[in-house]
Amino acid sequence: MAGDFEKIYATWLAMQIEGEKGFRRRELLQKGPGHGTIEFLRHIWFPTVGHLDDLHAEWEVRDDHGGYRYVDLAYRRGGAKRRDGKAAKLSGTEF
């Protein structure tokens, strides 16, 4: 299962980088998630859920002062739209 995770994780991250149009989030994605986030995905999320569909790394949210913050992971299931209003596909799941 560890080998599966490595391959799926690499594909998942590459797809997020490729699909990102925003400069700041793209930059954060290229740096990659932090050690704790990767370990959470490897040891908790992936063994429990079995995939990384519907997860978004470095998701942009607005704070109370009109600024932007980036959460480590956001889970957006089903028909949730990206910021640009388009649906995207990851492993056959539309989100």
Side-chain angles (χ1 to χ4, degrees), residues 2-13:
D4 289 343
F5 172 78
E6 297 301 328
K7 191 162 45 168
I8 289 169
Y9 171 78
T11 301
W12 171 77
L13 187 58

Side-chain angles (χ1 to χ4, degrees), residues 36-74:
T37 301
I38 295 169
E39 292 302 298
F40 167 77
L41 292 172
R42 180 190 328 273
H43 296 292
I44 309 255
W45 186 273
F46 191 72
T48 304
V49 179
H51 59 77
L52 301 178
D53 296 355
D54 303 321
L55 274 177
H56 305 272
E58 303 302 338
W59 191 253
E60 184 179 272
V61 294
R62 281 232 155 162
D63 66 19
D64 292 340
H65 305 287
Y68 294 97
R69 301 284 181 250
Y70 295 85
V71 295
D72 294 338
L73 295 168

Side-chain angles (χ1 to χ4, degrees), residues 77-93:
R77 187 168 178 214
K81 301 289 182 186
R82 298 183 325 191
R83 288 173 296 173
D84 59 10
K86 298 177 183 175
K89 286 197 171 207
L90 178 62
S91 303
T93 302

